[in-house]
Amino acid sequence: MKNISKLMIALIGILTMASCSPSDVQDRPVIKGVDAPVLTAPTDGTSYVLTAATMALQAERFVWTSANYGGPVAITYTIQIDKENGDFSAPQVIGGADAANQASVTQQALNGGCLALGATPYVAANFLVRVMSSASGYAPMYSNVVTISVKPYTTATPHLWMPGSYQSTSGYGSNDWTQSTAAQLASTGYGNADFEGYVYIASNQVAPSNGFKFTSQADWNGTNYGDDGSFSGTLSTTGGNIGVNAGYYKVNANTTNLTYTLTPTTWAIIGNATAGGWTTDTPMTYNPTTKKWSVIATLSTQAATANGLKFRANGAWDINLGDTGADGVMEYGGDNIGTTAGTYLIELDLSSPRHYTYTLTAQ
């Protein structure tokens, strides 16, 4: 009789388990915790000025009280940051801890979170931070929200924009004085103020009514540079428009020395792979739509050491481009470009500042 009772109990257990479908488990309500964590550091109004030189240092030690789930559970804490007007629907995570009430957040982590949220480097802005606690089987809980001010940095290569009255007729968008489609200049690297780029000007731009300016960001809210009025290549942050005649220019600007130069250029190929050898240029033609220089030419087979071809401007060697490393990216004074006999469409692309490329396409 005892054995029959045990069998009945086991059978009831099996039937009970079988009656629970996966959807039943999924539909069970998530258990709520008792007390959310409280963020005690930083406090409202705390401000941070971040720099690349100190990126590895601590920006802040975040401190919070323990979350209460009504019993001993493993808790993970995550530090979230959002824009000042954000609702934490898509926050960035800048740190966290397991079973601890504090976490050190580096300047680099805080900076990365701010930039990912669209912050402008070197411009202070407000952000919201909070701590989320989570435990298996429980709904997440969130701390109070604290407002902090952060001035982030960037290690990206700095750019200048060239908005002006030349744009709509020169292939730089349909609207003049618009940074988003304007030609750009790039520096040699982070922290450097020596900017360079190439721009096509379809018609004469007469200052002060027309011309262009340099801006430090893709709008008018940064530092803007114009001519100081002497028209001798001197920049001023309160200067007027920079006038320019029609042409294709190598543009250089230095925002530390406050200088700029506009060098007109026309481009050609030259080398013993070309019909003109090393003495006669084969001119190229500029296309405002593709922003490339091109020519169709018949080349001979030449090894890239003392032979091959190069690109040069204005029929002289002052500005010439070769390919050191044979990777399709050119350098000033770079190595000769080796060739294989045939007819090619040769294209030179100077539209991406300081990243100049070429292609040889068999015809």
Side-chain angles (χ1 to χ4, degrees), residues 315-354:
W317 291 105
D318 298 17
I319 306 174
N320 75 89
L321 292 166
D323 184 1
T324 301
D327 58 0
V329 179
M330 290 180 294
E331 299 81 24
Y332 287 114
D335 292 345
N336 297 336
I337 299 166
T339 58
T340 301
T343 300
Y344 294 87
L345 169 63
I346 303 170
E347 294 180 298
L348 171 65
D349 189 349
L350 305 175
S351 63
S352 180
R354 294 196 184 276

Side-chain angles (χ1 to χ4, degrees), residues 198 250 263 267 311-321 332-333:
Y198 286 86
K250 177 177 179 285
T263 306
W267 286 85
F311 298 88
R312 72 174 185 173
N314 305 333
W317 291 105
D318 298 17
I319 306 174
N320 75 89
L321 292 166
Y332 287 114

